[in-house]
């Protein structure tokens, strides 16, 4: 009699050791999975319910977010597009026959014509240095012209660099040394013409009383800045009589230290002999700077001090330091004096008083300290003086008001279309959220398409959204206390029922209403309740007060109130926030105290509990199969042992 033996094979599954069915020939893992799968119906239902609630919450929150965006744009007094702002219904178009005066009209203006002439613009007072305050470009020793042949140097004229080369030898019998250098510079930078059309040098080369070379802008040449530098180490700079101590530029740099700046000026300022600083006051504000501070740092410090109320700058075109009052007008607008050192007395030596603007507006002479004049709701910005009368016409800006209302209607239609689409979507019970096992047998595209269908119709005929839209439609067709205009009278109507509240504009009728009765159109939209005005107060009213407010207010405020009933995060008299917020919370996830979030938390707890139950059930199945396999193995071993003994006894 033949015998056989089997071995129990242990493997680890979900953290436990189980044994395959080598004795029973049963696929234990597969069998257990099937048994658990058959018992997972309730868990799958919970997961599907949770997924549908998450989708539903997302759809609610998208609508809430879109309502809030719409409300922020049209129902917020700080928005330029707000239909609550009365100024958006009283707009004026201003035209002028001259660019010298720019006129704009506020809601306080009235239609009509105006005339204005500008005889003087307002200017700011200035404390300045003299023009061309920097020393000219001057050498520090007499030049050696005979050694310049074959050398070169760099000259920068108003930001353009050129190389000046000495190609020929200096001939003292035919020209002076200055003429020799002049010829080389003209070749490098060219010449120009003066205002009379005569050819002149851009840069004039001369010798001072010491015989040192000087480079200066030629009068009427248009040249301002000149800077020279050594082009190479060929000795040309020293041969020209220049060294590191020479003044090589007729302009200062704002990156220069104040000590360097002082040394470059024609009229140098001095520092305090003890502290090495300059101190001065501007309009009562004290300033102190060390000689190692840069001009840029000084300018920045002064300009950033709001109490000094001035602006300092270095004008490289005129080579002038300018301190300008920040306010225009006549009078003493700058008071500046030295405390220590001589910066003010040596540099800021020239005072130019500011001027008032002077105009004749509608025959009346006006003098103002500013170039902006507001009169009877119209602001006139003066740009230049005029030699003749400027005519200004103020008319009702029908197109501007129309565009504001049309933009509101277009975005309103887009919003209610979005909500109506969700209400009209049909829910297909054949498309439930997929289980994990179902997704394993599908491609990513199939899963995406399935989920799209499964999400359709979750807000079908939703009572909260339907109620909100019904209230909005009623508000749009209701009358406004004390106002004869209605939406239909001004050309804004609804179509048949199938469009579910969409608005349509008759352009001609609306523009005619805006032109003929702008106040009526304004009050129809933006009239506030006289009993309970404002925006925030709506959440604190009881039902009786709310009814009074609704009856008294314009369409825009009615719409605001209805939307706040749905999306406000502020609690009302009953302690509730907007009903959509109570249902789904906000999109940023910061609000978890809502019905769907609470339900999702409950479902998550149930899913965890059911998963724990199934895990224990799985443990039990594995334990039972393991025990069975162990028992079968023992029986097989015993059988083999008995068979072996029987076989041995028979053979003997």
């Amino acid at each position: 009699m033949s015998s056989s033996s089997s071995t129990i094979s242990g493997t680890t599954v979900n953290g436990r050791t189980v044994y395959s069915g080598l004795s029973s020939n049963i696929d234990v893992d597969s069998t257990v999975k099937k048994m658990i799968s058959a018992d997972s119906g309730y868990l799958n239902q919970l997961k599907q319910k949770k997924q549908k609630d998450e989708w539903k919450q997302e759809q609610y929150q998208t609508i809430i977010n879109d309502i809030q965006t719409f409300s922020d744009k049209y129902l917020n007094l700080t928005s330029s597009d707000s239909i609550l702002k009365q100024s958006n219904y009283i707009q004026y178009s201003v035209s002028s026959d001259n660019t010298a005066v720019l006129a704009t009209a506020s809601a306080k203006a009235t239609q009509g014509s105006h005339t204005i002439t500008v005889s003087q613009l307002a200017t700011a007072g200035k404390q300045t240095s003299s023009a061309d305050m920097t020393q000219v470009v001057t050498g520090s020793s007499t030049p050696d012209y005979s050694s310049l042949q074959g050398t070169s140097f760099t000259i920068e004229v108003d930001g353009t660099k050129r190389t000046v080369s000495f190609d020929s030898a200096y001939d003292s019998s035919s020209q002076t040394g200055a003429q020799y250098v002049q010829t080389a510079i003209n070749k490098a930078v060219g010449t120009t013409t003066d205002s009379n059309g005569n050819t002149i040098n851009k840069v004039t080369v001369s010798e001072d009383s010491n015989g040192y070379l000087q480079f200066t802008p030629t009068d009427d040449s248009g040249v301002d800045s000149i800077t020279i530098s050594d082009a190479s180490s060929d000795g040309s700079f020293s041969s020209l009589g220049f060294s590191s101590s020479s003044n090589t530029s007729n302009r200062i740099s704002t990156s220069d230290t104040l000590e360097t700046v002082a040394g470059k000026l024609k009229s140098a300022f001095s520092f305090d002999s003890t502290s090495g600083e300059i101190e001065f006051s501007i309009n009562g504000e004290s300033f102190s700077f060390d000689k190692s501070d840069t001009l840029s740092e000084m300018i920045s410090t002064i300009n950033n001090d709001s109490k000094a109320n001035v602006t300092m700058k270095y004008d490289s075109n005129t080579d002038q330091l300018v301190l300008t009052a920040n306010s225009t007008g006549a009078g003493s607008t700058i008071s500046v004096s030295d405390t220590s050192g001589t910066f003010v007395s040596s540099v800021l030596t020239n005072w130019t008083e500011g001027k008032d603007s002077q105009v004749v507006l509608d025959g009346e002479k006006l003098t103002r300290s500013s170039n902006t004049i507001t009169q009877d709701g119209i602001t006139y910005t003066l740009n230049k003086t005029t030699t003749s009368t400027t005519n200004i016409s103020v008319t009702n800006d029908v197109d501007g008001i129309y565009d504001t209302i049309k933009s509101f209607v277009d975005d309103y239609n887009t919003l209610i279309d979005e909500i109506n689409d969700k209400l009209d979507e049909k829910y297909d019970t054949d498309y439930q959220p997929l289980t994990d096992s179902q997704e394993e047998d599908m491609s990513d595209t199939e899963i995406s398409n399935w989920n799209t269908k499964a999400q359709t119709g979750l807000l079908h005929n939703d009572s909260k959204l339907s109620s909100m839209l019904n209230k909005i439609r009623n508000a749009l067709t209701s009358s406004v206390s004390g106002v004869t205009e209605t939406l239909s009278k001004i050309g804004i109507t609804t179509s048949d029922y199938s469009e579910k509240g969409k608005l349509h504009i008759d352009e001609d009728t609306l523009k005619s209403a805006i032109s003929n009765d702008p106040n009526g159109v304004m009050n129809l939209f933006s009239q506030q309740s006289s009993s309970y005005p404002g925006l925030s107060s709506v959440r604190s009213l009881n039902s009786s007060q709310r009814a009074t407010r609704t009856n008294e207010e314009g369409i825009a405020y009615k719409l605001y109130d209805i939307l706040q009933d749905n999306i406000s995060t502020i609690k009302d008299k009953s302690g509730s926030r907007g009903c959509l917020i109570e249902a789904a919370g906000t999109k940023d996830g910061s609000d978890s105290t809502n019905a769907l979030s609470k339900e999702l938390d409950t479902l998550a707890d149930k899913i965890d509990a059911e998963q724990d139950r199934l895990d224990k059930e799985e443990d039990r199945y594995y334990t039972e199969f393991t025990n069975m396999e162990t028992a079968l193995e023992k029986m097989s071993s015993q059988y083999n042992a008995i068979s072996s003994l029987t076989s041995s006894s028979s053979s003997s």
Side-chain angles (χ1 to χ4, degrees), residues 127 170 224 227-228 260 336 345 574:
Q127 192 88 17
Y170 168 57
D224 294 318
T227 301
I228 66 170
T260 300
V336 55
S345 60
S574 65

Side-chain angles (χ1 to χ4, degrees), residues 536-550:
S536 59
S537 62
V538 67
R539 300 297 293 164
S540 62
L541 303 180
N542 59 36
S543 58
S544 174
Q545 294 168 332
R546 178 64 181 272
T548 299
R549 172 184 167 100
T550 299

